[in-house]
Every structure is written in structure tokens, then in C-alpha cells.
Amino acid sequence: MEWTDEGIVLGVRRHGESSAIVELLTRGHGRHLGLVRGGAGSRMRPLLQPGNSVGVVWRARLDEHLGTYAIEGLKLRAATLLGSSHGVYGVTHLASIARLLPERDPHEEIFALLEHSLDDFEDIGSAAVHVIHFELAMLAELGFGLALENCAVTGETTDLIYVSPKSGGAVSRGAGEPWRDRLLRLPPFLRQGEVQGELTDEDLQDGFRLTGLFLLRHVLEPRGQVHSDARAGFINALTRQQAKAAISAP
């Protein structure tokens, strides 16, 4: 058995004295593990860092075997990603939720979104938007997508500013006003077809509150899991950056 693909490193664990088992999210073969001989050595270690894009050849005697990877670097982002606290936490969190995908099941749109997110991760505000969009995409991929295109009450497609915490459906301003204290806020950058204005701190916090609720309820808790420490670390890094920017603003 043999195939060639592109992958993004999600994680690595040492195997024996010198080898490593590498977990990748590949474009055409999904989340897939393989043994890299010499993967624990100093030559391979910089290549096998979470967030890096690599080219791989996977070989095994039978399809169900772990198999071995031959790996070459394509885009080595890790040095940049791991150079900031939000980068460290962000890539760790993205990898943790990508692991919710079933093994060896292709998810090409998720792969493309993860790749795009990691390519635009230097600014913490942009990184936060990408993390929220990735969480929304993962909810949809796992069968728990939110219905944000039209109002769950009236069917309207405009002025959607709330989300029902029960159904995950959008609610228009008029329909939701009497129950606004019970509804989640839908930040402007998640409203489809709406011209985006300036991104605010409140928008990002509302986005994380929205995705966090449904990820926890529908995906993590049924698996006996909770949100990763990395997600909390990323949000804390964002909060600190926002506070620092507020202090330095004229």
C-alpha cells in the first residue's frame, strides 16, 4: 500500500529511541498517523512541528497498518507560530479540535480552511477570526452546524443579530428583542451577506462564546471532554492584547 499527499502536522510522539509517530491532517486521506524513522532526531525535529505543511509518502504492507511516512517540508510555519503566545495556544487548539475528525476520513474543505488559517495567523485579531470560523466549520463537519442564514422565527434573511442557545438558529432583531437577554449575540463578522465594519473586542468575545457553547454541548461533553487549556490560553492572550491596545490608544 502506498500513497502521496500533503499534510499539516497536528502532533508528534516519540516511539522507541529514535523514531516518532506523526499525526497529520492530510488533504486527501484525512487525519492519518504514520511512523517516521529518525523522527526524534535533531535533523527531523524542526520539520515535525505542529502547524508545518509537509509532503508525505505513506507506505504499509496492509491498509489497516500504521505504516511509515517519508516526509519533506513544504511550508515551515512553526517558527513563526511558536514565536508568540497566541500562536502557540492557537495552533495547539486547532490541532486538538481537528483530532475530533474520524481517522482516515477525508475532509478536504477542513484541510483547506486549516491551511488558510495558519497562513494568516500573525495578527492576533485575524487569528481569532480564523479560530472562530474553524470551530464553526468543525461543528458543521461533525453534523452540528448552526443555521445562521435566516431567522428561525420569521424566516427573514436580514438584520440577524442573535442566535438561539437552544436551536443554534439565527434570530432577527425584531423577533429576538423581547428575549434578547436569553439569546446569544451574533457578531457582524459571522452575519452572511452583511458589509463588515471594524472588528471590535466584543465581536470576538461573542464569537468565542457562541462556538464554545455548541462545541461543548454537542461535541465535547458527549465524548467526556471539555474545552482544551489551549483554547482558554488563546482567549486569555487575546484579552491581554486587547487590554494593552486599549491602554496605549490615544
Side-chain angles (χ1 to χ4, degrees):
M1 303 296 299
E2 178 177 324
W3 48 257
T4 301
D5 207 343
E6 300 172 38
I8 298 170
V9 179
L10 300 180
V12 181
R13 67 177 185 269
R14 191 171 185 130
H15 183 78
E17 291 187 5
S18 61
S19 297
I21 295 176
V22 179
E23 182 180 23
L24 303 176
L25 181 63
T26 63
R27 184 184 299 277
H29 297 83
R31 186 173 64 84
H32 205 291
L33 284 78
L35 180 72
V36 177
R37 303 192 188 282
S42 58
R43 186 179 69 85
M44 293 295 294
R45 198 175 300 123
L47 185 64
L48 302 178
Q49 295 295 315
N52 282 344
S53 287
V54 295
V56 297
V57 178
W58 179 83
R59 298 182 179 93
R61 190 169 65 85
L62 296 174
D63 185 61
E64 60 266 25
H65 288 178
L66 173 66
T68 61
Y69 276 140
I71 290 185
E72 63 174 358
L74 296 178
K75 186 173 289 188
L76 305 185
R77 311 179 184 86
T80 300
L81 290 170
L82 304 182
S84 64
S85 60
H86 82 266
V88 173
Y89 288 125
V91 71
T92 303
H93 171 57
L94 290 173
S96 74
I97 57 175
R99 288 192 183 96
L100 297 169
L101 295 170
E103 195 175 345
R104 303 190 180 195
D105 187 11
H107 296 271
E108 292 193 24
E109 291 185 4
I110 291 293
F111 174 88
L113 184 58
L114 179 59
E115 186 175 48
H116 174 65
S117 300
L118 294 173
D119 282 339
D120 187 29
F121 221 72
E122 186 172 350
D123 174 73
I124 192 170
S126 297
V129 171
H130 285 306
V131 171
I132 292 166
H133 277 292
F134 191 77
E135 291 182 342
L136 276 177
M138 283 294 298
L139 278 167
E141 198 75 6
L142 294 170
F144 304 102
L146 306 187
L148 305 180
E149 297 82 11
N150 55 272
C151 177
V153 179
T154 66
E156 295 177 74
T157 58
T158 59
D159 207 21
L160 306 176
I161 67 168
Y162 302 114
V163 176
S164 167
K166 293 184 178 180
S167 69
V171 181
S172 67
R173 186 187 307 272
E177 193 63 22
W179 298 280
R180 61 180 181 180
D181 293 337
R182 303 181 188 178
L183 300 173
L184 298 167
R185 181 174 175 268
L186 180 62
F189 71 91
L190 294 180
R191 300 173 195 168
Q192 299 189 19
E194 184 169 318
V195 177
Q196 303 301 311
E198 183 178 352
L199 188 68
T200 69
D201 301 346
E202 184 183 17
D203 292 338
L204 294 175
Q205 296 297 335
D206 286 336
F208 279 113
R209 189 175 300 110
L210 175 65
T211 55
L213 173 68
F214 292 102
L215 273 173
L216 188 64
R217 178 190 298 166
H218 295 306
V219 179
L220 297 174
E221 287 183 340
R223 291 170 166 81
Q225 301 177 27
V226 295
H227 284 300
S228 68
D229 292 340
R231 186 181 196 267
F234 181 88
I235 295 173
N236 287 337
L238 175 65
T239 302
R240 290 194 300 270
Q241 181 67 25
Q242 291 168 335
K244 183 178 178 181
I247 292 172
S248 60

